[in-house]
Amino acid sequence: MQAAPAYGRSSTPPADPGPVLRAIRLPAAPPHPVGREELLAAARAALRPEAGLLLTGPLGIGKSALLDTLGHEAGTGGNRVLRCAPGPDDAALPHAALIELLHPVPDRDHAHLPAHQRAVLDAALLRGSRPGDRLDRLALRLAVTATLERIARDAPLLLVLDGLERVDPISADVLAHVVRRAPDLGITVAAARRGGAPPGGERRLWPGAAVELTVPGLTDEAIGDLLDREARTPAPARLRQLLRLAAGNPLYARELAAEPGRRSGGRAAPEPHAEPGDPPLPTTLRALVLTPAADLPAAARSALLLAATAARPSLGLLRAAGVADPVADLGEAERRGLLRIAADGGLLLAHPLLAAALRADAGTAPRLAAHAALAGAVSEPVERARHLALAHPYEDQCVAGALAEAAATARSRGSADTAYELAVLAAARTPAALPGDRHRRLLAAAAHAADAGRHDDARRAADRVLAETPDAVSRVRARLTLLETAGQALDASGTLIEGGFADAAGDLALQARLHLWAAVRELLGGRTAGAAAEATRAATLAARAPHQPTGADPEGPATGGEAATRTQVDALGLLATVESMRGRPVAAESALGSALRLAGTEAGASLLRRRALLDLDADRVAEAGRRIAALAERATGSDGVEEALATLVARIRIQARAGDCAPAVAAAERCTRLLDAAGLASPLGAYAAALAQTVGGAVPRAVELARAAVAGCAADGDRLFEIRALGVLGGALLITGEVHAAAEAAEALQRARELGTAMRLADPDAVRRLADLAEALVLLGDRAEAQRVLAEAGQLTCSWPSAWGAGARAARERSTGLLLAVLGRPGEAVAALRGSAARLRSVPLPLDLARTLVGWASVERRARHRAPARTVLAEAEQLCRDRAAYPLLARIEQERERLDPGERIGDTLELTPSERRVAELVAGGATNREVAAVLSVSVKTVEGTLSRVYRKLGVRSRTGLARAATGGHV
């Protein structure tokens, strides 16, 4: 029997299902399992009488959900489904599984049985007297087999046996008789048993030819999607804890996500956490995990607690911690599957949740003793300090100092999360009589949290310092932390900066730092003149600051000369960026040169990134690419999330201009993963992804992402990236070459024009946006406004040095050529487009050149010069194929169809099975959300797959995909 797939089927039975199905009312469709499409496909293929299915895996991994889905699919496809799922206590109850399995079967399906068999069956189902001898057992086997055979003659029958290890012995005996004969009876068996369960009678309850599938843990993304679907998604920091402890187990994830709600709802009293990094564990879940350890000997339990408490447990470590014979003590725990002793002596606990449950279940005294023993046994400073702190849960300045040093060590190794947790412990262990030390340690914790992307934690620590300390320097540091974690929304941070100036009176280094943040606020708010003034003021004050460190603290950020030099470098780098945006490349190079000389060999990522972006403005794209690649290669784990994000966004901007389409898409995916891992929702991620999709992905996805980026930047008050996102949105829409898209493109680009004018932007990006606006206006037929826009672009370029902004000048020439063509001056139009192409070949900017060539081909085609049009279009096609520029390839296909109707631009690339399935569903009219539900994947996964399908097929819309499907390309 082949179970019917869920897609394309009604969720209700046929109008007249026949006498057998009429007796059973199909249950509502169960939620489709998340992240299980490949496993479901393999399971469906096994659902045949001659094969059968056995699912194995640990408790809670999702075996029952898979069986529920398979059973529902079979039922809605016209099959009869009988199911039993014994509970933990049912194994001791005779006939319990049979009663559950046959309960839905109506009496008429037993009526054909001989009288004795019918009596025995009625007794087994608690409808008569109890059978009591071996003859009755044989009669019961025959009665059940005959009943199921009769049902299978009327409709294909699926037996779902969920939890074989809990089937009672008498039911197991009967069902084993049925299973052995299932192929001859036309019955399909789908069963599940817990992996690692002790073997027993259930070994007989699946067919010999059954396909055995082990159900693996879900990915973190799938767990996140599952919690999203059930509206249980916790805050980012807690989600990271949950994912670590659940380790792919959906039951564990659900229970951990629900526990805070249970506590806040008053149904359970809060319990103390066993460890600072452990979330509260539900009592039932903890008991479930600890059941195999319930009656372990005291020595084994103590050794197991040590293993659960250590970061890297081993036999040697346990011996150093005082366990005389760890092999003997842990032998029983290993036999019960609680841990595994590796060949090198390492100890691997069965599941991360087991370690957390052991810590939570231990009393305070045993837990403190375990940490004290481990603190004396380990030599690694970070781990030793953590055990020391947890062994002494009270104020102790020596412990606090050791923790602060360990936090700094962890941060230098690139572990900002560990550094934050140690710094929080350091602050907590600092005596109340030393508030200055406590506040410095809180500020260090805030800095580590900011680097880890834990902005809420950083702000809490900084807010506490700001509320408690009268120390001016500490207050300014707290304000700076709050500014650093404000993201792009700095326009609302005025009180932080102004209050900081009052606290920083007399400290030139701190004043300079605040002026630098004021410059950043001015820039993001769209005030370039104010940004330049504040950056200049910051650099000037920093240059005047004392060169000897004042108020330096090894546990926190330095002030004085060292910090002042860093601020001066940062201010000059920012000034260089602002001057470039204002169309003043000479001033920009001067400021950047000064910053680089001051920094010397210690130039940071921010300054080197600005160097690469100034090269990009000057169309030195290859040099910009080399610089940003070198910067990415030298990045270490000590870089914060914001720094890594900024480098990725800059790299995608450079790759998009260079025509490195596939690397840009890959970098955008890394950007998304970075933000997801940090739990940050930054519109810069959407902007970068939209830019990558515009050059190497799919236009619909690019437009969707660009709209999200525009909305996010506008909400944050980030005018600079709002303008850039508007430019990407307009550019993506223009690629389609369609009038209806041109209207939205013109609206977005006009908004960018207005914001850019207010910001006094005069850089190459501003000219490119104006050129795109003019092109959109030409498509819309507004020639007069297009002329005015191009004149405005010309005024911006006339003040530039002659060697600067070649790509932007070429973009203006391209739009001028398109305008001249609709004005009825094709000769001048071709000349302008030819000049644009020549300029772009000298830079080179391959995708800009391809756009010019497509426009040139369209002008030649409208002038009925087909041979030149084909030549130019062929060059554009080769450029795009070499660069995997799929959106432009789709535009070239569109132009080729107009030039030579019916001709495609080459063979399509082969689709993978998953891509083909998505393509088939979308071509059939399914929405992305419907496809995600059918395939048990996230909507984000569907969108990414659909983007690849668009690229490979050279189409740009669902309509194009439907046409490709009709033509046999899908």
Side-chain angles (χ1 to χ4, degrees):
M1 181 195 76
Q2 175 65 49
Y7 50 83
R9 296 276 185 175
S10 169
S11 60
T12 57
D16 185 10
V20 176
L21 288 179
R22 273 201 301 267
I24 290 187
R25 183 176 181 180
L26 289 173
H32 200 77
V34 173
R36 300 296 196 194
E37 188 51 42
E38 290 186 9
L39 192 63
L40 276 170
R44 292 183 187 112
L47 293 185
R48 308 185 309 278
E50 64 272 18
L53 173 69
L54 174 65
L55 298 177
T56 64
L59 175 69
I61 202 66
K63 303 182 297 296
S64 297
L66 289 165
L67 290 179
D68 287 345
T69 296
L70 294 168
H72 184 79
E73 291 177 356
T76 56
N79 305 298
R80 182 71 179 272
V81 181
L82 296 176
R83 183 180 190 277
C84 71
D89 299 329
D90 290 346
L93 301 175
H95 311 109
L98 279 179
I99 292 171
E100 183 180 2
L101 186 75
L102 298 177
H103 172 73
V105 177
D107 289 343
R108 61 175 170 272
D109 287 331
H110 309 310
H112 66 287
L113 295 174
H116 180 61
Q117 291 183 21
R118 174 65 184 269
V120 170
L121 182 60
D122 284 343
L125 300 181
L126 301 184
R127 298 173 182 172
S129 60
R130 182 174 180 176
D133 55 33
R134 296 185 64 83
L135 179 63
D136 290 330
R137 184 77 59 84
L138 176 61
L140 181 59
R141 287 183 184 180
L142 297 174
V144 171
T145 302
T147 298
L148 297 179
E149 182 180 16
R150 178 182 178 85
I151 295 172
R153 285 200 299 267
D154 293 331
L157 176 61
L158 173 66
L159 293 186
V160 178
L161 310 178
D162 186 6
L164 299 184
E165 69 278 0
R166 298 191 296 269
V167 176
D168 63 276
I170 296 178
S171 296
D173 176 77
V174 175
L175 291 174
H177 183 79
V178 173
V179 167
R180 284 195 299 272
R181 292 157 179 78
D184 297 330
L185 301 174
I187 297 173
T188 300
V189 179
R193 71 183 296 271
R194 189 188 308 177
E202 82 279 357
R203 188 184 293 275
R204 302 169 296 165
L205 297 185
W206 60 87
V211 175
E212 183 172 348
L213 300 176
T214 299
V215 182
L218 291 173
T219 64
D220 285 353
E221 181 183 8
I223 291 288
D225 289 342
L226 176 67
L227 297 179
D228 282 344
R229 187 173 74 180
E230 299 178 358
R232 296 184 180 186
T233 306
R238 177 162 172 75
L239 178 60
R240 288 194 292 267
Q241 288 180 333
L242 183 152
L243 292 173
R244 175 177 59 81
L245 286 183
N249 189 299
L251 171 65
Y252 294 172
R254 286 190 180 101
E255 288 296 306
L256 290 168
E259 181 64 4
R262 294 193 188 108
R263 293 175 184 275
S264 62
R267 289 189 292 274
E271 298 178 14
H273 299 185
E275 304 287 358
D278 289 343
L281 300 183
T283 302
T284 53
L285 184 58
R286 191 170 71 189
L288 187 68
V289 173
L290 291 177
T291 297
D295 56 348
L296 280 175
R301 187 77 178 224
S302 177
L304 198 58
L305 176 60
L306 277 173
T309 305
R312 289 173 294 278
S314 66
L315 294 175
L317 179 61
L318 264 61
R319 185 182 294 276
V323 179
D325 190 350
V327 173
D329 288 350
L330 292 174
E332 180 60 24
E334 185 178 31
R335 283 190 290 275
R336 298 187 188 189
L338 291 166
L339 89 167
R340 181 167 62 86
I341 302 176
D344 63 356
L347 302 177
L348 306 173
L349 269 73
H351 195 278
L353 192 63
L354 173 62
L358 286 165
R359 293 192 294 266
D361 197 58
T364 301
R367 193 165 59 245
L368 297 185
H371 281 297
L374 290 169
V378 299
S379 57
E380 200 282 321
V382 172
E383 189 177 351
R384 180 181 179 279
R386 185 174 181 278
H387 286 306
L388 190 64
L390 295 175
H392 299 83
Y394 40 78
E395 296 177 356
D396 186 311
Q397 180 69 343
C398 291
V399 172
L403 284 165
E405 291 178 6
T409 299
R411 188 65 192 91
S412 68
R413 295 174 179 174
S415 181
D417 270 309
T418 301
Y420 165 70
E421 292 168 3
L422 291 170
V424 167
L425 285 172
R429 299 297 184 268
T430 303
L434 301 171
D437 287 353
R438 176 173 291 182
H439 292 144
R440 281 193 292 275
R441 287 162 183 164
L442 279 172
L443 287 171
H448 299 321
D451 286 342
R454 301 171 65 159
H455 288 179
D456 289 343
D457 292 327
R459 284 191 285 267
R460 275 193 292 272
D463 279 333
R464 180 177 168 189
V465 173
L466 200 57
E468 292 179 1
T469 184
D471 179 69
V473 172
S474 295
R475 291 175 63 81
V476 174
R477 289 180 182 171
R479 293 179 189 276
L480 289 172
T481 296
L482 293 171
L483 288 167
E484 289 168 3
T485 55
Q488 308 303 108
L490 279 178
D491 248 357
S493 63
T495 55
L496 284 173
I497 294 175
E498 300 309 321
F501 283 131
D503 286 330
D507 191 321
L508 295 181
L510 289 177
Q511 289 177 14
R513 200 73 192 169
L514 289 164
H515 278 293
L516 175 61
W517 276 104
V520 174
R521 179 185 64 187
E522 291 295 296
L523 178 58
L524 294 180
R527 300 174 291 274
T528 53
E534 289 288 356
T536 302
R537 193 172 295 120
T540 302
L541 284 172
R544 292 169 45 202
H547 290 285
Q548 293 76 28
T550 58
D553 177 11
E555 296 177 14
T559 60
E562 179 185 348
T565 300
R566 188 188 69 188
T567 298
Q568 188 178 3
V569 168
D570 290 345
L572 288 168
L574 179 60
L575 181 60
T577 296
V578 173
E579 293 290 27
S580 182
M581 292 168 58
R582 298 171 77 188
R584 302 171 62 183
V586 175
E589 291 289 349
S590 175
L592 186 66
S594 297
L596 288 169
R597 285 191 295 275
L598 272 172
T601 58
E602 300 300 318
S606 175
L607 192 60
L608 297 176
R609 192 166 53 245
R610 294 185 193 280
R611 172 69 276 174
L613 291 174
L614 284 192
D615 286 334
L616 181 66
D617 284 343
D619 291 321
R620 296 189 293 266
V621 181
E623 181 63 24
R626 285 192 290 272
R627 291 185 191 278
I628 204 71
L631 179 57
E633 288 173 6
R634 83 167 207 176
T636 65
S638 61
D639 293 330
V641 173
E642 298 286 354
E643 195 67 48
L645 174 63
T647 297
L648 272 173
V649 171
R651 191 170 196 180
I652 292 164
R653 289 179 62 194
I654 293 168
Q655 288 169 332
R657 289 288 308 287
D660 296 332
C661 302
V665 171
E669 291 172 353
R670 289 198 300 276
C671 189
T672 299
R673 290 195 297 270
L674 173 70
L675 290 170
D676 287 347
L680 297 178
S682 170
L684 297 192
Y687 159 77
L691 183 56
Q693 287 290 315
T694 299
V695 297
V699 169
R701 181 61 176 152
V703 169
E704 181 183 358
L705 287 163
R707 287 172 180 155
V710 169
C713 292
D716 284 350
D718 183 349
R719 292 292 174 262
L720 175 58
F721 271 94
E722 182 183 358
I723 291 172
R724 289 174 176 166
L726 286 165
V728 173
L729 176 58
L733 290 162
L734 275 180
I735 289 177
T736 67
E738 297 177 352
V739 173
H740 70 85
E744 185 181 353
E747 182 180 353
L749 292 164
Q750 178 59 32
R751 173 62 177 160
R753 176 191 184 189
E754 293 165 358
L755 290 173
T757 300
M759 286 185 69
R760 303 182 187 178
L761 297 183
D763 60 339
D765 277 347
V767 172
R768 277 188 288 270
R769 287 190 294 269
L770 290 173
D772 282 351
L773 175 57
E775 182 177 338
L777 292 168
V778 168
L779 280 172
L780 294 171
D782 194 345
R783 303 170 185 177
E785 183 62 17
Q787 287 178 308
R788 284 190 288 272
V789 170
L790 289 171
E792 184 178 325
Q795 290 174 353
L796 294 181
T797 60
C798 69
S799 63
W800 294 351
S802 59
W804 200 59
R809 296 176 198 267
R812 179 175 176 272
E813 288 172 331
R814 179 185 66 241
S815 296
T816 299
L818 297 175
L819 175 61
L820 289 169
V822 299
L823 291 174
R825 295 150 64 181
E828 295 175 61
V830 169
L833 289 160
R834 184 181 289 113
S836 173
R839 193 188 295 270
L840 289 166
R841 287 190 181 99
S842 69
V843 178
L845 294 169
L847 299 192
D848 290 43
L849 175 58
R851 277 191 67 184
T852 290
L853 293 172
V854 172
W856 184 356
S858 70
V859 171
E860 297 281 20
R861 173 180 54 79
R862 288 194 294 270
R864 301 186 183 279
H865 301 155
R866 294 186 178 276
R870 291 190 187 96
T871 300
V872 171
L873 203 60
E875 183 183 355
E877 178 187 337
Q878 192 58 54
L879 280 169
C880 292
R881 284 199 175 278
D882 290 345
R883 299 286 180 164
Y886 298 111
L888 268 175
L889 269 175
R891 174 66 182 278
I892 293 168
E893 177 191 15
Q894 180 187 58
E895 186 60 33
R896 176 65 60 82
E897 288 175 350
R898 291 171 178 169
L899 183 62
D900 298 301
E903 181 179 327
R904 291 183 61 85
I905 61 170
D907 296 331
T908 58
L909 301 175
E910 183 179 354
L911 299 183
T912 66
S914 62
E915 290 168 348
R916 186 174 297 279
R917 188 72 192 110
V918 169
E920 289 169 349
L921 292 170
V922 171
T927 66
N928 288 359
R929 189 166 295 281
E930 289 168 344
V931 175
V934 167
L935 301 184
S936 188
V937 297
S938 68
V939 175
K940 186 184 300 182
T941 298
V942 173
E943 291 167 348
T945 304
L946 193 55
S947 295
R948 295 194 297 275
V949 170
Y950 282 164
R951 293 199 303 265
K952 290 184 176 182
L953 296 182
V955 300
R956 55 178 170 33
S957 67
R958 289 171 178 263
T959 303
L961 182 58
R963 285 200 302 268
T966 303
H969 296 288
V970 176

Short mmCIF file of all heavy atoms in Angstrom, two decimals, residues 449-482:
data_model
loop_
_atom_site.label_atom_id
_atom_site.label_comp_id
_atom_site.label_asym_id
_atom_site.label_seq_id
_atom_site.Cartn_x
_atom_site.Cartn_y
_atom_site.Cartn_z
N ALA A 449 28.93 41.58 26.68
CA ALA A 449 27.60 41.26 26.16
C ALA A 449 27.36 41.96 24.82
O ALA A 449 26.79 41.37 23.90
CB ALA A 449 26.53 41.66 27.17
N ALA A 450 27.80 43.20 24.71
CA ALA A 450 27.63 43.93 23.44
C ALA A 450 28.39 43.23 22.33
O ALA A 450 27.89 43.09 21.21
CB ALA A 450 28.10 45.37 23.61
N ASP A 451 29.61 42.78 22.62
CA ASP A 451 30.39 42.08 21.61
C ASP A 451 29.72 40.78 21.18
O ASP A 451 29.85 40.35 20.03
CB ASP A 451 31.79 41.77 22.14
CG ASP A 451 32.67 43.02 22.18
OD1 ASP A 451 32.32 44.00 21.51
OD2 ASP A 451 33.69 42.99 22.88
N ALA A 452 29.02 40.14 22.11
CA ALA A 452 28.35 38.87 21.81
C ALA A 452 27.00 39.08 21.14
O ALA A 452 26.33 38.10 20.81
CB ALA A 452 28.17 38.06 23.09
N GLY A 453 26.59 40.34 20.96
CA GLY A 453 25.29 40.60 20.38
C GLY A 453 24.16 40.48 21.39
O GLY A 453 22.98 40.50 21.02
N ARG A 454 24.49 40.37 22.67
CA ARG A 454 23.46 40.26 23.72
C ARG A 454 23.14 41.67 24.21
O ARG A 454 23.49 42.07 25.32
CB ARG A 454 23.97 39.36 24.85
CG ARG A 454 24.32 37.97 24.38
CD ARG A 454 25.02 37.12 25.43
NE ARG A 454 24.20 36.82 26.58
CZ ARG A 454 24.40 35.80 27.40
NH1 ARG A 454 25.41 34.97 27.18
NH2 ARG A 454 23.62 35.60 28.43
N HIS A 455 22.48 42.43 23.36
CA HIS A 455 22.29 43.85 23.63
C HIS A 455 21.39 44.10 24.84
O HIS A 455 21.62 45.06 25.58
CB HIS A 455 21.72 44.53 22.39
CG HIS A 455 22.73 44.66 21.29
ND1 HIS A 455 22.45 45.21 20.07
CD2 HIS A 455 24.03 44.28 21.23
CE1 HIS A 455 23.54 45.18 19.30
NE2 HIS A 455 24.50 44.62 19.98
N ASP A 456 20.39 43.27 25.04
CA ASP A 456 19.53 43.46 26.22
C ASP A 456 20.34 43.28 27.50
O ASP A 456 20.19 44.06 28.46
CB ASP A 456 18.36 42.47 26.18
CG ASP A 456 17.35 42.81 25.11
OD1 ASP A 456 17.37 43.97 24.62
OD2 ASP A 456 16.55 41.93 24.74
N ASP A 457 21.20 42.25 27.52
CA ASP A 457 22.04 42.04 28.70
C ASP A 457 23.01 43.20 28.90
O ASP A 457 23.24 43.65 30.04
CB ASP A 457 22.84 40.74 28.54
CG ASP A 457 21.95 39.50 28.59
OD1 ASP A 457 20.94 39.53 29.31
OD2 ASP A 457 22.26 38.53 27.89
N ALA A 458 23.57 43.70 27.81
CA ALA A 458 24.49 44.83 27.91
C ALA A 458 23.79 46.06 28.47
O ALA A 458 24.32 46.77 29.33
CB ALA A 458 25.09 45.13 26.54
N ARG A 459 22.60 46.33 27.97
CA ARG A 459 21.87 47.52 28.44
C ARG A 459 21.46 47.38 29.90
O ARG A 459 21.49 48.37 30.65
CB ARG A 459 20.65 47.75 27.55
CG ARG A 459 21.01 48.35 26.19
CD ARG A 459 19.78 48.80 25.43
NE ARG A 459 19.05 47.69 24.88
CZ ARG A 459 19.23 47.22 23.65
NH1 ARG A 459 20.13 47.77 22.86
NH2 ARG A 459 18.53 46.20 23.20
N ARG A 460 21.09 46.18 30.32
CA ARG A 460 20.73 46.00 31.73
C ARG A 460 21.91 46.31 32.65
O ARG A 460 21.76 46.99 33.67
CB ARG A 460 20.22 44.58 31.97
CG ARG A 460 18.76 44.38 31.67
CD ARG A 460 18.25 43.05 32.21
NE ARG A 460 18.83 41.92 31.50
CZ ARG A 460 18.32 41.38 30.41
NH1 ARG A 460 17.21 41.88 29.90
NH2 ARG A 460 18.89 40.35 29.82
N ALA A 461 23.08 45.80 32.28
CA ALA A 461 24.26 46.04 33.11
C ALA A 461 24.62 47.54 33.11
O ALA A 461 24.93 48.11 34.17
CB ALA A 461 25.44 45.22 32.60
N ALA A 462 24.58 48.18 31.94
CA ALA A 462 24.92 49.60 31.86
C ALA A 462 23.89 50.46 32.60
O ALA A 462 24.25 51.43 33.30
CB ALA A 462 25.01 50.03 30.40
N ASP A 463 22.62 50.12 32.46
CA ASP A 463 21.58 50.88 33.17
C ASP A 463 21.76 50.78 34.68
O ASP A 463 21.53 51.75 35.42
CB ASP A 463 20.19 50.34 32.78
CG ASP A 463 19.71 50.90 31.45
OD1 ASP A 463 20.13 52.01 31.08
OD2 ASP A 463 18.90 50.22 30.78
N ARG A 464 22.18 49.61 35.14
CA ARG A 464 22.38 49.45 36.59
C ARG A 464 23.51 50.35 37.08
O ARG A 464 23.39 51.01 38.12
CB ARG A 464 22.69 47.98 36.89
CG ARG A 464 22.91 47.71 38.37
CD ARG A 464 23.16 46.24 38.63
NE ARG A 464 23.64 46.02 39.98
CZ ARG A 464 24.09 44.85 40.43
NH1 ARG A 464 24.09 43.80 39.62
NH2 ARG A 464 24.52 44.72 41.66
N VAL A 465 24.59 50.40 36.31
CA VAL A 465 25.70 51.28 36.69
C VAL A 465 25.25 52.73 36.68
O VAL A 465 25.53 53.51 37.60
CB VAL A 465 26.90 51.07 35.74
CG1 VAL A 465 27.99 52.11 36.02
CG2 VAL A 465 27.46 49.66 35.91
N LEU A 466 24.56 53.12 35.64
CA LEU A 466 24.11 54.51 35.51
C LEU A 466 23.19 54.89 36.66
O LEU A 466 23.20 56.04 37.13
CB LEU A 466 23.38 54.68 34.17
CG LEU A 466 23.25 56.10 33.62
CD1 LEU A 466 24.61 56.76 33.46
CD2 LEU A 466 22.50 56.07 32.30
N ALA A 467 22.40 53.95 37.14
CA ALA A 467 21.47 54.24 38.23
C ALA A 467 22.15 54.27 39.59
O ALA A 467 21.68 54.95 40.51
CB ALA A 467 20.35 53.19 38.24
N GLU A 468 23.28 53.54 39.74
CA GLU A 468 23.85 53.36 41.07
C GLU A 468 25.07 54.24 41.36
O GLU A 468 25.29 54.63 42.51
CB GLU A 468 24.26 51.90 41.26
CG GLU A 468 23.09 50.93 41.32
CD GLU A 468 23.56 49.48 41.50
OE1 GLU A 468 24.79 49.27 41.60
OE2 GLU A 468 22.71 48.58 41.54
N THR A 469 25.88 54.51 40.35
CA THR A 469 27.18 55.13 40.66
C THR A 469 27.16 56.65 40.52
O THR A 469 26.56 57.19 39.59
CB THR A 469 28.27 54.55 39.75
OG1 THR A 469 29.53 55.11 40.14
CG2 THR A 469 28.03 54.89 38.28
N PRO A 470 27.84 57.35 41.44
CA PRO A 470 28.02 58.80 41.27
C PRO A 470 29.31 59.12 40.51
O PRO A 470 29.56 60.28 40.18
CB PRO A 470 28.12 59.30 42.72
CG PRO A 470 28.75 58.15 43.45
CD PRO A 470 28.25 56.89 42.78
N ASP A 471 30.11 58.08 40.20
CA ASP A 471 31.40 58.30 39.54
C ASP A 471 31.18 58.73 38.09
O ASP A 471 30.55 58.03 37.30
CB ASP A 471 32.22 57.01 39.59
CG ASP A 471 33.57 57.18 38.89
OD1 ASP A 471 34.42 57.91 39.41
OD2 ASP A 471 33.74 56.58 37.81
N ALA A 472 31.72 59.91 37.75
CA ALA A 472 31.46 60.48 36.43
C ALA A 472 32.01 59.61 35.30
O ALA A 472 31.35 59.40 34.28
CB ALA A 472 32.05 61.89 36.35
N VAL A 473 33.23 59.09 35.49
CA VAL A 473 33.84 58.28 34.43
C VAL A 473 33.02 57.03 34.19
O VAL A 473 32.75 56.64 33.04
CB VAL A 473 35.30 57.94 34.79
CG1 VAL A 473 35.86 56.93 33.79
CG2 VAL A 473 36.15 59.20 34.81
N SER A 474 32.59 56.37 35.25
CA SER A 474 31.79 55.16 35.10
C SER A 474 30.45 55.47 34.44
O SER A 474 29.94 54.69 33.63
CB SER A 474 31.55 54.51 36.46
OG SER A 474 32.77 54.05 37.02
N ARG A 475 29.89 56.62 34.77
CA ARG A 475 28.61 57.00 34.16
C ARG A 475 28.76 57.22 32.65
O ARG A 475 27.92 56.80 31.86
CB ARG A 475 28.06 58.25 34.83
CG ARG A 475 27.60 58.03 36.27
CD ARG A 475 27.17 59.34 36.93
NE ARG A 475 26.03 59.92 36.25
CZ ARG A 475 24.76 59.54 36.42
NH1 ARG A 475 24.49 58.56 37.28
NH2 ARG A 475 23.78 60.10 35.78
N VAL A 476 29.86 57.85 32.26
CA VAL A 476 30.08 58.06 30.83
C VAL A 476 30.29 56.73 30.13
O VAL A 476 29.77 56.49 29.03
CB VAL A 476 31.28 59.00 30.59
CG1 VAL A 476 31.59 59.10 29.10
CG2 VAL A 476 30.99 60.38 31.16
N ARG A 477 31.04 55.85 30.74
CA ARG A 477 31.25 54.53 30.13
C ARG A 477 29.93 53.79 29.96
O ARG A 477 29.68 53.12 28.95
CB ARG A 477 32.19 53.70 30.99
CG ARG A 477 33.63 54.16 30.97
CD ARG A 477 34.46 53.27 31.85
NE ARG A 477 35.85 53.69 31.90
CZ ARG A 477 36.76 53.19 32.72
NH1 ARG A 477 36.40 52.24 33.58
NH2 ARG A 477 38.01 53.62 32.71
N ALA A 478 29.06 53.91 30.98
CA ALA A 478 27.75 53.27 30.87
C ALA A 478 26.96 53.87 29.71
O ALA A 478 26.30 53.15 28.95
CB ALA A 478 26.99 53.43 32.18
N ARG A 479 27.02 55.18 29.57
CA ARG A 479 26.31 55.84 28.46
C ARG A 479 26.86 55.38 27.11
O ARG A 479 26.10 55.16 26.15
CB ARG A 479 26.42 57.35 28.59
CG ARG A 479 25.68 57.94 29.80
CD ARG A 479 25.87 59.45 29.85
NE ARG A 479 25.36 60.02 31.09
CZ ARG A 479 24.07 60.36 31.28
NH1 ARG A 479 23.21 60.15 30.30
NH2 ARG A 479 23.68 60.87 32.42
N LEU A 480 28.18 55.24 27.03
CA LEU A 480 28.78 54.79 25.77
C LEU A 480 28.33 53.37 25.42
O LEU A 480 28.09 53.06 24.25
CB LEU A 480 30.31 54.85 25.87
CG LEU A 480 30.91 56.26 25.90
CD1 LEU A 480 32.41 56.20 26.20
CD2 LEU A 480 30.65 57.00 24.59
N THR A 481 28.20 52.53 26.43
CA THR A 481 27.70 51.18 26.18
C THR A 481 26.27 51.22 25.65
O THR A 481 25.91 50.50 24.70
CB THR A 481 27.75 50.33 27.46
OG1 THR A 481 29.11 50.17 27.86
CG2 THR A 481 27.12 48.96 27.24
N LEU A 482 25.44 52.08 26.24
CA LEU A 482 24.06 52.21 25.76
C LEU A 482 24.01 52.73 24.33
O LEU A 482 23.16 52.32 23.54
CB LEU A 482 23.27 53.12 26.70
CG LEU A 482 23.05 52.56 28.12
CD1 LEU A 482 22.45 53.61 29.03
CD2 LEU A 482 22.15 51.32 28.06
#
